Amino acid sequence: MTGGYWDRFGRSRSLCHRLPPALKLLLTVAVVTAGLCVPVRFWPVHGVLAAAVFAGHTLARIPMSYLARRVGLFLPVVAMLSLSVPISQGFAAGWTIMAAILFRSSLSFLSVLWLVNVMPFEQLLVTLRRFRAPAVFVAMLAFMYRYSFVVWDELDKMRTARRARSCCGGMRFRWRQSIQLIGMLLVRAMGRAERVHGAMCSRGWDGQVRFLPDSRECE
Amino acid sequence: MHIPDGVLSPQVSLATGALALGAVGYSLYRLRDRIAERTIPMTGMMAALIFAGQMVNFPVPFLGAPVSGHLIGGVLAAAVLGPWAGCLAIALVLVVQCLLFADGGILALGANVLNMGVVGAWGGFAVLDVLRRSLGGGFRGTLAGVVAASWLCVMAASALFCLEFWLTLRFDPSPDAAKINMSNVLALMAVFHSVIGIGEAIITGGVVSFVIAHRPDLVTVDAEANGPARRSVAGAGRFIAVGLIAATAVAAFVAPFASQWDDGLVAVSEQEFKARASQESQTFVFADYEVPQPFGDGAPSPLWQRVSVSLAGVTGVFVVMLAAWLFDRGLRRRLKAGGAT
């Protein structure tokens, strides 16, 4: 994950990206809620919502290939989950519920995907602060986001090392390897957290969470 | 494991959201005196770790298909950080997964935090703490507690999801919703999750035994570091939590028998019920999971099918106990060989 962001398209300058962050969040929640509240038999409403979501993606210049890949990964999981309803009824009932779940969750997934790709994470942190989220929680979220990249890089290196040193082995061996990988990662991460805390203390950390003014944080 | 939007009704989403918000708020409140300590870096780092740890794949043999599982991490977070910071860590992971990867619904975030964070960290820590104390507080107690808590929490989370889904169906006016036999859904979920729970128990147990061998101070009961966390779940609250977790897990097994449970949902006439029962015995789905009927021939009886679902679960319990014992043995051998450094 070296030198990149997870929200790949979050930092362009389209019309959607320039909307106020709070509006983007509220729009997404509104679309998801509307899709959830409108019964399936009013399907034209869902059609309009889907069209709006696709229009949003187009305006934000999010490539269709990216959307197709994400939906392709998402659909099998939801299909399995929703299929469990008719399966558990011996295939006698639950088909309309399954269809409703599939349709609504795809629509919601696409709208959240829009939000993810038009709102960089640091903007989200500022928005959460504006919505009066507890400062400690936002600080932890910022901390987690920052160190996800570090831990991810570490995991990547350890995986490379593992590949370089092992070629074969049964399932038991691979499970043990993966468990040790997570265990080592945990030991290192906690060690790093302690060092970071030491560094914070040496810079005068007193338990008070402080934020920069919005304008500087957004840029 | 993440509930996407569109599964739960708006009412249920709202209620679970409020409960999750309350739980996160309470966790923050309990941590208020320790903010100046290591809480923020430790919790943030733990969340980052669980987030990365969930990307490590564990191959699962499933009809030759490339299926893999991964860590869930609620009990792991609680074992290292205690219940309050552990719950926050899982909530952070879920928020980031939702708002950075669109993984898990934005309205279902509350339900996800409730099922994984609150059940996993609060409930998991309660189970872990009770077992650890009853087994003497050593490595063996910690390990047994972690393994049991992981399995129980996965089962409890699946039972909780079924409760949420049942409430969703109650708000659904469509005729199809009225036809759903909820105990069947619960049974299917229980079977799947008893297997998932075994995987989670093995992974969490393995990771904790690794941590005990390398940094025992992180997970063992240290009076200074874990003091407030330990005291916080003392007394009645702990036993209520353990009782709730155990009850939901047990409910998952009793459910196949309690088919009258959902009859309040819809007044099914006796004839309809009989027709459905005969249909079930022909196209029952647990054919692949049930324990083969030891006597008689031809189509297995409906009673046996229900017994076998529970048997599969009880087998799961024994496998988990066996796994705990194996970890304990392996750990002691390692401690003997290399010393706990």
Side-chain angles (χ1 to χ4, degrees):
Chain A
M1 206 49 235
T2 324
Y5 290 104
W6 276 316
D7 39 356
R8 269 202 295 166
F9 309 106
R11 279 158 188 82
S12 56
R13 287 254 156 225
S14 79
L15 178 71
C16 292
H17 289 81
R18 276 179 280 139
L19 291 176
L23 182 66
K24 295 182 218 173
L25 194 62
L26 290 178
L27 267 178
T28 309
V29 172
V31 169
V32 173
T33 314
L36 211 53
C37 289
V38 176
V40 183
R41 62 176 185 281
F42 298 124
W43 53 268
V45 180
H46 289 280
V48 170
L49 286 176
V53 171
F54 272 106
H57 278 292
T58 314
L59 285 177
R61 293 172 203 280
I62 298 166
M64 207 44 89
S65 57
Y66 166 81
L67 287 185
R69 207 177 56 243
R70 286 304 305 267
V71 173
L73 287 174
F74 169 78
L75 269 184
V77 179
V78 179
M80 257 166 62
L81 179 82
S82 57
L83 197 62
S84 70
V85 180
I87 282 182
S88 66
Q89 307 306 314
F91 298 107
W95 292 106
T96 55
I97 291 176
M98 176 188 159
I101 288 178
L102 264 180
F103 185 77
R104 283 178 174 156
S105 56
S106 309
L107 179 68
S108 314
F109 175 72
L110 280 172
S111 38
V112 177
L113 207 57
W114 176 80
L115 177 72
V116 164
N117 281 302
V118 297
M119 185 145 92
F121 201 78
E122 56 270 19
Q123 238 178 49
L124 176 81
L125 294 177
V126 176
T127 316
L128 282 179
R129 280 299 294 151
R130 204 167 288 158
F131 285 146
R132 304 246 175 274
V136 175
F137 189 79
V138 179
M140 283 175 178
L141 203 56
F143 203 97
M144 179 203 168
Y145 181 67
R146 167 70 188 89
Y147 281 95
S148 286
F149 293 95
V150 178
V151 174
W152 190 273
D153 263 350
E154 191 138 24
L155 177 67
D156 238 17
K157 281 178 199 153
M158 284 161 73
R159 271 174 166 170
T160 308
R162 177 173 75 170
R163 271 203 304 279
R165 284 165 180 77
S166 65
C167 63
C168 34
M171 214 177 58
R172 204 168 141 252
F173 177 69
R174 282 164 69 194
W175 270 66
R176 231 184 61 202
Q177 263 190 338
S178 294
I179 285 172
Q180 288 181 347
L181 192 69
I182 297 179
M184 199 65 231
L185 205 60
L186 192 148
V187 169
R188 287 189 188 177
M190 290 297 112
R192 176 170 282 126
E194 285 159 358
R195 289 199 301 279
V196 168
H197 178 247
M200 282 160 75
C201 287
S202 69
R203 286 161 178 76
W205 165 247
D206 56 356
Q208 194 69 40
V209 182
R210 297 175 181 84
F211 286 93
L212 290 171
D214 291 359
S215 55
R216 284 184 59 190
E217 242 174 353
C218 276
E219 287 309 310
Chain B
M1 284 300 283
H2 295 21
I3 305 171
D5 279 323
V7 176
L8 302 178
S9 70
Q11 297 94 327
V12 176
S13 299
L14 205 66
T16 50
L19 282 175
L21 214 60
V24 168
Y26 186 70
S27 294
L28 283 170
Y29 170 76
R30 294 306 296 247
L31 287 170
R32 70 198 182 284
D33 297 332
R34 305 174 64 202
I35 295 302
E37 295 173 36
R38 299 182 300 179
T39 304
I40 289 183
M42 290 290 256
T43 311
M45 197 67 89
M46 191 70 199
L49 168 95
I50 287 174
F51 182 56
Q54 289 189 346
M55 305 294 169
V56 178
N57 287 325
F58 289 83
V60 179
F62 183 74
L63 306 174
V67 179
S68 65
H70 66 78
L71 173 79
I72 301 167
V75 176
L76 185 64
V80 176
L81 299 174
W84 317 121
C87 175
L88 285 179
I90 300 296
L92 291 174
V93 171
L94 291 169
V95 167
V96 167
Q97 282 176 339
C98 171
L99 293 175
L100 200 58
F101 290 91
D103 191 4
I106 198 166
L107 290 186
L109 191 59
N112 280 324
V113 169
L114 203 63
N115 292 2
M116 284 188 252
V118 177
V119 168
W122 289 13
F125 189 83
V127 174
L128 163 65
D129 204 42
V130 164
L131 266 177
R132 182 156 62 190
R133 277 163 192 237
S134 60
L135 290 178
F139 293 156
R140 184 191 293 190
T142 307
L143 208 51
V146 163
V147 169
S150 307
W151 189 80
L152 280 174
C153 284
V154 172
M155 292 306 287
S158 79
L160 196 58
F161 168 73
C162 286
L163 178 69
E164 288 155 6
F165 191 60
W166 177 67
L167 285 172
T168 296
L169 290 183
R170 293 208 58 166
F171 288 117
D172 194 340
S174 74
D176 204 25
K179 271 192 265 172
I180 299 295
N181 185 341
M182 201 57 210
S183 59
N184 281 356
V185 178
L186 188 57
L188 186 70
M189 285 281 164
V191 170
F192 275 135
H193 283 85
S194 63
V195 179
I196 293 173
I198 291 172
E200 171 76 0
I202 292 175
I203 297 171
T204 313
V207 171
V208 167
S209 75
F210 185 92
V211 173
I212 287 176
H214 291 83
R215 281 282 308 271
D217 57 307
L218 281 179
V219 282
T220 45
V221 182
D222 176 7
E224 202 187 343
N226 289 345
R230 266 173 65 97
R231 240 183 293 123
S232 58
V233 278
R238 197 179 60 216
F239 284 99
I240 291 171
V242 172
L244 275 177
I245 294 285
T248 40
V250 166
F253 291 120
V254 177
F257 294 97
S259 61
Q260 73 274 19
W261 182 53
D262 67 320
D263 278 5
L265 189 66
V266 52
V268 192
S269 75
E270 201 173 328
Q271 281 176 337
E272 264 177 4
F273 189 82
K274 271 181 191 161
R276 200 168 54 182
S278 66
Q279 202 173 13
E280 261 169 32
S281 65
Q282 285 160 9
T283 59
F284 202 76
V285 283
F286 295 125
D288 291 342
Y289 310 105
E290 72 189 7
V291 182
Q293 196 171 2
F295 45 82
D297 55 347
S301 68
L303 177 68
W304 176 256
Q305 284 170 335
R306 286 177 181 170
V307 170
S308 69
V309 170
S310 291
L311 268 184
V314 173
T315 316
V317 178
F318 279 109
V319 170
V320 169
M321 283 168 66
L322 188 70
W325 179 71
L326 283 176
F327 276 130
D328 181 49
R329 270 194 52 187
L331 179 69
R332 264 189 294 173
R333 205 182 309 140
R334 198 182 307 162
L335 286 178
K336 228 179 269 175
T341 49

